[in-house]
Amino acid sequence: MAVAEQAQPASRAVRARQRRVREEELLVWPDLVFVEFISAVLFLGLLAILSVLVDAILLDQANPAVTPNPSKAPWYFLNLQELLLHMHPALAGVIVPTVALIALGAIPYFDTSNDYQGEWLTSPRAWPNLVVGAVVGTVGTTLLIFYDASFHVRFYEWIVNPGEDRFLPGLSEDGQPIDNPDFNAWPESLNWLKSLRSLQTEVNWPTELEAIPLGSKVLRTDLLGLPAIDLDVNFPAMVVEQIIPVGAMVGLPLLLSAAAWKVGLAQTRRDHMILQFSGFIAVYVILTIIGTFFRGEGLELVPYTIFAHH
Amino acid sequence: MATTEQPQGRSLGDRLYDGAFKNRLWKSIFRSGYPNTPRNQMLAVATNVFLHLHPTRIHRTHVKITHTFCLGGLSFFLFLGLTITGVLLMFYYVPSVERAYGDILALDTDVRFGKLMRNLHRWMAHGMVLTVLMHMMRVFYTGAYKPPREFNWVVGVVLLVLTLLLSFTGYLLPWDQLALWAITVGTNMVGSAPLLGEPNRFVLVGGFQVGQAALIRFYTLHVIGLPLLAAIFMTVHFWRIRRDGGLARPL
Ligand code: HEM
């Protein structure tokens, strides 16, 4: 009480503000509890209807001897399984998700300002950053996947071969390649640009580079009580499986941020966070969609649904 | 009011009301009267252990559906629903490679409401992954991770991981081709980590390939280990929301 009397100097404005804040408050019972109750009932109803109408999938009993083609992880991991097709498995399966989760958790420690919290995207430039991040993430990921599936090769051949036979040499009905001497194929000198992997397979790398002996002194597994490992580095494979993918995953987002900063789109840390987070979500969604609906037999890039199993 | 006549004794409604809410039984359970006055409404929230997750008052804007889209609440709701349907499924399911598949088939065909329980459990599990991801997006785009809520965001990331792991461990249990091979693909990813990947995969699967040992490990994690962890982290998550002064709002 003594404190309250002493606190007289609080200006009228401050007291008015305090009163206004009080007035802007609602009682949790009924206002919030009611909303919660209604949405719980609503969603229980919707889920019950869904569960009556659509059955959970159940295939044949597990059989370790029969590998289905394709074999897929649960849908929320298909983004990682998609990455697996384009880079070293240790990167796709472990390092990328670990780094991504740590980066996600670190967001508040990077963007430390207190501004514009508690409202949907009210900071200046919030929406432009969201849209640019999402579009660049979507288009960029799609293009990279198309590149690795050699879509540009097919596109080129489609352009330079007018007329009926433009898709030849395709495969005849019994799966044999059709011999068509008039066909203008992708130039042989550019074979190394057919896909990411062709950089390794279509270039005459000196054989020394394919097995650079580093001996057992690099990975000191013996110190952990594990067998010693003689490390032979296959440089071309390393370029294709590690250096380029890491370069793309680290470099392209940095490039995006730098460009957005140059043109004044991303000025504050919150701007950069919105740009990057939106890009990340877009990449995540696109990889999941492609992994789920566009990877069929042999994980080829073709339309696919899980119900093909039935 | 003053113009009406004096009431002739207490009305039936009043007497029913008193009978229902002003008796020893009600008071012994709820402490406060029926929440029809502001005082009782606040007491109802503050004295009830479940409702006490909430503050007694809340800012106007936070009740608007479009502020949170109820996504955090929905994730929690689905977690509770999954616990209930999961317990019911446990009555019928034995985690052995000889029985598991047959038990699921029996749930689908022989057990009354078995199929409904299994379907509910499955759809809620998919739903929870979605709502948690969308909740994360709503928290991000409302800037609600900013100080002082940094750590609660981190707790959230842990909850996201736990949600994915819960879903993943459950995926194996029906012991059909989908389950076996999805988990094989998934655990092989773990095995591809440098150095410690293969030993980790071996521990997770309990052998060189997904079999009985993996089934019992995944089952145990799915029905007790991970739910317990998730419950602990949710407790921290909710506690922190209260400690941090409710939901974020503009300064
Ligand atoms: C099992 C998963 C989760 C559950 C059950 C859950 C539950 C909740 C609930 C009920 C709220 C209250 C407001 C609302 O409904 O939006 C909330 C707020 C919050 N959640 Fe979560 N959450 C989960 C996961 C996450 C994740 C993945 C993140 C972030 C990575 C996160 C970060 C936060 C933060 C920072 C707040 C405070 C928001 C504010 O002040 O406006 N939570 N959570």
Side-chain angles (χ1 to χ4, degrees):
Chain A
M1 277 298 115
V3 180
E5 277 153 34
Q6 198 187 14
Q8 187 51 19
S11 72
R12 194 181 296 176
V14 168
R15 270 179 279 135
R17 184 165 167 266
Q18 282 167 349
R19 204 174 328 117
R20 198 167 57 244
V21 167
R22 254 292 118 83
E23 277 163 11
E24 283 171 359
E25 280 179 340
L26 300 172
L27 288 180
V28 161
W29 184 304
D31 292 282
L32 182 62
V33 176
F34 184 72
V35 174
E36 288 175 343
F37 179 72
I38 293 295
S39 41
V41 171
L42 189 78
F43 273 85
L44 196 59
L46 287 177
L47 282 162
I49 293 173
L50 180 69
S51 300
V52 169
L53 294 182
V54 193
D55 285 342
I57 216 166
L58 187 67
L59 306 183
D60 294 338
Q61 181 161 16
N63 181 355
V66 179
T67 314
N69 186 2
S71 286
K72 292 195 183 188
W75 63 267
Y76 38 83
F77 287 151
L78 287 182
N79 34 63
L80 299 178
Q81 204 181 341
E82 177 63 33
L83 285 187
L84 211 54
L85 298 172
H86 310 285
M87 57 189 71
H88 194 275
L91 269 180
V94 180
I95 298 171
V96 170
T98 308
V99 172
L101 283 169
I102 292 176
L104 209 56
I107 289 176
Y109 300 94
F110 180 77
D111 173 19
T112 50
S113 92
N114 246 323
D115 307 332
Y116 306 109
Q117 57 171 317
E119 283 178 332
W120 278 90
L121 294 162
T122 42
S123 59
R125 303 175 300 280
W127 278 102
N129 274 299
L130 185 156
V131 172
V132 169
V135 169
V136 171
T138 309
V139 175
T141 310
T142 312
L143 288 180
L144 286 176
I145 289 176
F146 280 2
Y147 178 82
D148 221 16
S150 304
F151 273 27
H152 55 298
V153 175
R154 289 198 234 167
F155 184 67
Y156 170 87
E157 291 175 351
W158 185 73
I159 294 285
V160 299
N161 292 291
E164 293 278 302
D165 300 341
R166 56 191 356 190
F167 288 113
L168 298 176
L171 299 178
S172 70
E173 269 171 27
D174 51 352
Q176 296 303 308
I178 295 170
D179 197 16
N180 178 356
D182 297 334
F183 187 77
N184 294 310
W186 179 260
E188 218 157 284
S189 60
L190 293 182
N191 269 353
W192 59 284
L193 281 180
K194 273 187 156 174
S195 72
L196 184 53
R197 183 63 74 179
S198 38
L199 191 59
Q200 177 190 354
T201 54
E202 303 291 332
V203 175
N204 276 328
W205 293 88
T207 36
E208 309 86 78
L209 283 184
E210 287 173 357
I212 308 171
L214 294 183
S216 59
K217 293 286 168 269
V218 183
L219 286 178
R220 295 301 305 270
T221 42
D222 49 327
L223 298 181
L224 292 171
L226 298 169
I229 295 179
D230 271 326
L231 209 56
D232 277 341
V233 168
N234 180 344
F235 181 70
M238 195 168 162
V239 169
V240 163
E241 295 173 359
Q242 298 172 42
I243 296 175
I244 292 180
V246 170
M249 287 184 294
V250 175
L252 295 179
L254 284 181
L255 205 65
L256 176 63
S257 256
W261 177 68
K262 255 280 184 289
V263 301
L265 175 69
Q267 298 174 13
T268 63
R269 288 186 173 200
R270 172 75 171 151
D271 290 347
H272 284 284
M273 285 297 96
I274 294 179
L275 186 70
Q276 295 295 338
F277 183 81
S278 307
F280 172 76
I281 296 289
V283 171
Y284 181 91
V285 170
I286 285 295
L287 289 176
T288 312
I289 290 177
I290 290 185
T292 308
F293 297 114
F294 294 97
R295 288 288 174 189
E297 228 171 274
L299 298 178
E300 291 295 327
L301 195 60
V302 290
Y304 171 83
T305 78
I306 196 169
F307 302 104
H309 275 303
H310 285 300
Chain B
M1 286 291 158
T3 55
T4 53
E5 326 161 9
Q6 287 298 312
Q8 319 264 330
R10 296 160 68 238
S11 69
L12 178 64
D14 283 350
R15 269 184 286 143
L16 279 179
Y17 178 86
D18 284 356
F21 303 120
K22 289 197 177 156
N23 59 54
R24 297 187 69 133
L25 180 63
W26 175 277
K27 290 245 157 133
S28 74
I29 304 173
F30 290 113
R31 300 291 178 225
S32 60
Y34 184 76
N36 55 351
T37 64
R39 180 175 179 278
N40 275 351
Q41 287 172 337
M42 283 196 263
L43 279 175
V45 174
T47 60
N48 182 296
V49 64
F50 303 109
L51 293 177
H52 190 61
L53 285 175
H54 304 101
T56 55
R57 280 190 231 89
I58 184 174
H59 197 263
R60 271 205 138 67
T61 49
H62 294 151
V63 181
K64 272 213 194 137
I65 306 276
T66 49
H67 185 70
T68 61
F69 289 100
C70 297
L71 287 164
L74 274 178
S75 310
F76 186 51
F77 164 79
L78 291 173
F79 181 73
L80 295 180
L82 284 160
T83 309
I84 295 168
T85 51
V87 167
L88 292 175
L89 292 176
M90 281 175 77
F91 290 168
Y92 297 95
Y93 176 86
V94 176
S96 94
V97 293
E98 282 88 35
R99 287 200 49 181
Y101 184 73
D103 287 348
I104 298 287
L105 268 185
L107 269 168
D108 272 358
T109 51
D110 298 346
V111 179
R112 188 160 301 171
F113 296 124
K115 191 178 211 169
L116 183 66
M117 283 307 125
R118 174 164 180 253
N119 288 355
L120 269 174
H121 196 74
R122 191 84 172 197
W123 297 131
M124 284 185 175
H126 287 313
M128 185 168 166
V129 174
L130 281 176
T131 56
V132 171
L133 284 172
M134 292 196 296
H135 169 61
M136 178 182 79
M137 290 170 68
R138 107 81 186 137
V139 170
F140 178 85
Y141 285 120
T142 54
Y145 58 79
K146 291 165 171 251
R149 296 178 181 77
E150 310 98 307
F151 187 66
N152 216 13
W153 170 271
V154 178
V155 173
V157 174
V158 174
L159 281 171
L160 171 66
V161 174
L162 288 175
T163 307
L164 292 176
L165 289 180
L166 268 166
S167 197
F168 185 64
T169 48
Y171 216 89
L172 181 62
L173 306 187
W175 203 248
D176 62 347
Q177 279 291 74
L178 192 66
L180 173 68
W181 291 99
I183 285 358
T184 302
V185 170
T187 48
N188 281 347
M189 285 191 201
V190 176
S192 61
L195 292 186
L196 296 180
E198 190 42 42
N200 271 327
R201 196 197 67 85
F202 193 90
V203 170
L204 191 64
V205 172
F208 289 106
Q209 49 169 304
V210 179
Q212 178 60 58
L215 184 57
I216 196 72
R217 275 169 207 220
F218 275 51
Y219 175 76
T220 313
L221 287 173
H222 185 73
V223 302
I224 183 73
L226 293 167
L228 214 55
L229 267 181
I232 292 172
F233 275 91
M234 281 184 205
T235 311
V236 176
H237 198 56
F238 300 154
W239 173 254
R240 292 294 294 226
I241 296 175
R242 295 288 308 275
R243 292 287 104 187
D244 295 339
L247 299 194
R249 69 182 140 174
L251 290 179

